[in-house]
């Protein structure tokens, strides 16, 4: 699945979401949530904030999604500790592997997961997680928290 195909799919899945592109990142916010600067989903195409995924490889991008604590623990166990300076140790995961859902190389401590270059089959399996992330963000906006 190319980056353009994924973007098209995500735009169709979340037409009501606000999208902002800055540098090599597209951020998806629940409508009205930009003031809190808490996206529920991002698509990153460069190594500006971390190099662990090696996104400078031709055609490689990373889809990131915020999970609930229970979703994260159910897939990966307890989150690793934040080590400071935006670093997280995530043993047992290759942050440069393609088409594998894994803890985010920097934001795993905040229950974020990612996948590099998801295939259509992987994206289909992830769609419930993406929808749940959007639903949580929408509830947060509605409740004002």
């Amino acid at each position: 699945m190319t980056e353009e195909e994924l973007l098209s799919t995500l735009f169709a899945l979340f037409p009501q979401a606000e999208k902002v592109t800055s540098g090599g990142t597209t951020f998806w916010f629940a409508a009205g949530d930009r003031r809190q600067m808490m996206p529920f989903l991002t698509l990153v195409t460069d190594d500006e904030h971390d190099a662990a995924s090696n996104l400078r490889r031709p055609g490689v991008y990373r889809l990131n999604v915020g999970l609930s604590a229970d979703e994260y623990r159910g897939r990966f166990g307890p989150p690793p500790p934040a080590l400071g300076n935006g670093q997280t140790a995530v043993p047992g995961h290759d942050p440069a592997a393609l088409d594998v859902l894994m803890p985010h190389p920097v934001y795993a401590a905040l229950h974020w997961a990612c996948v590099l270059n998801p295939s259509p089959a992987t994206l289909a399996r992830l769609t419930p997680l993406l929808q749940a992330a959007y639903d949580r963000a929408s509830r947060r906006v509605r409740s004002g928290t």
Side-chain angles (χ1 to χ4, degrees):
M1 176 170 255
T2 68
E3 175 190 345
E4 292 77 22
E5 290 169 330
L6 180 60
L7 282 168
S8 178
T9 300
L10 294 173
F11 290 158
L13 279 172
F14 303 106
Q16 66 280 32
E18 295 183 40
K19 297 105 181 151
V20 176
T21 299
S22 177
T25 304
T26 301
F27 302 87
W28 278 262
F29 298 91
D33 202 27
R34 282 185 52 205
R35 62 179 161 53
Q36 295 182 26
M37 298 304 294
M38 181 57 72
F40 66 92
L41 176 68
T42 64
L43 182 85
V44 179
T45 61
D46 62 30
D47 288 329
E48 182 178 348
H49 300 289
D50 76 275
S53 300
N54 191 16
L55 298 179
R56 64 186 160 275
R57 293 175 285 169
V60 177
Y61 59 88
R62 186 179 63 228
L63 176 64
N64 306 306
V65 60
L67 304 179
S68 71
D70 289 340
E71 288 169 337
Y72 186 95
R73 279 192 295 277
R75 281 165 179 73
F76 309 118
L83 301 176
N85 295 330
Q87 299 302 311
T88 301
V90 186
H93 297 278
D94 175 2
L98 302 178
D99 199 30
V100 177
L101 182 66
M102 67 186 98
H104 190 283
V106 174
Y107 299 112
L110 300 174
H111 307 121
W112 278 74
C114 65
V115 60
L116 279 63
N117 293 53
S119 66
T122 297
L123 184 60
R125 286 191 304 275
L126 291 177
T127 298
L129 289 176
L130 302 177
Q131 186 63 53
Y134 175 77
D135 293 345
R136 274 191 306 280
S138 295
R139 283 192 302 274
R140 186 175 58 243
V141 169
R142 286 191 305 274
S143 71
T145 61

